[in-house]
Amino acid sequence: MLADAKEQASLEYEQIIADANKKSDEMIEQARIKTIEVANEEKAKAKSEIADLINKAADKITNTKSDEKLYDDFLKEMK
């Protein structure tokens, strides 16, 4: 009877350890997935910000050339 109780306790102990290992593996996997998701969100945000900066820079260059052309045209008309 004592041997049966020890064997039962050992089986329960092994099951508890197996369950804990499984749960910790699941938690690690969830953390890994969340980390990847956050990293992808940050990359998308950075790409968007870079695209906005490029567009603003292009607008400034385009507007500057437009202003220069208007100025040059004005000077030509004044001659």
Side-chain angles (χ1 to χ4, degrees), residues 6 15 47 52-53 58 74 79:
K6 284 183 180 181
Q15 185 61 43
K47 284 180 182 179
D52 287 344
L53 291 172
F74 174 76
K79 287 183 178 181

Side-chain angles (χ1 to χ4, degrees), residues 13-73:
Y13 171 80
E14 289 175 17
Q15 185 61 43
I16 290 169
I17 295 299
D19 290 345
N21 285 334
K22 182 179 177 184
K23 184 160 180 115
S24 68
D25 288 345
E26 289 171 357
M27 290 172 71
I28 290 169
E29 181 62 15
Q30 288 174 354
R32 186 186 70 78
I33 290 170
K34 182 66 176 175
T35 301
I36 291 170
E37 289 173 355
V38 170
N40 288 338
E41 289 171 6
E42 290 298 318
K43 285 178 188 177
K45 183 179 174 184
K47 284 180 182 179
S48 177
E49 289 175 4
I50 290 168
D52 287 344
L53 291 172
I54 290 170
N55 287 332
K56 286 178 183 177
D59 285 344
K60 284 186 178 185
I61 291 169
T62 303
N63 289 338
T64 301
K65 288 182 180 177
S66 234
D67 291 345
E68 288 174 6
K69 184 173 180 345
L70 289 172
Y71 182 73
D72 289 343
D73 291 344

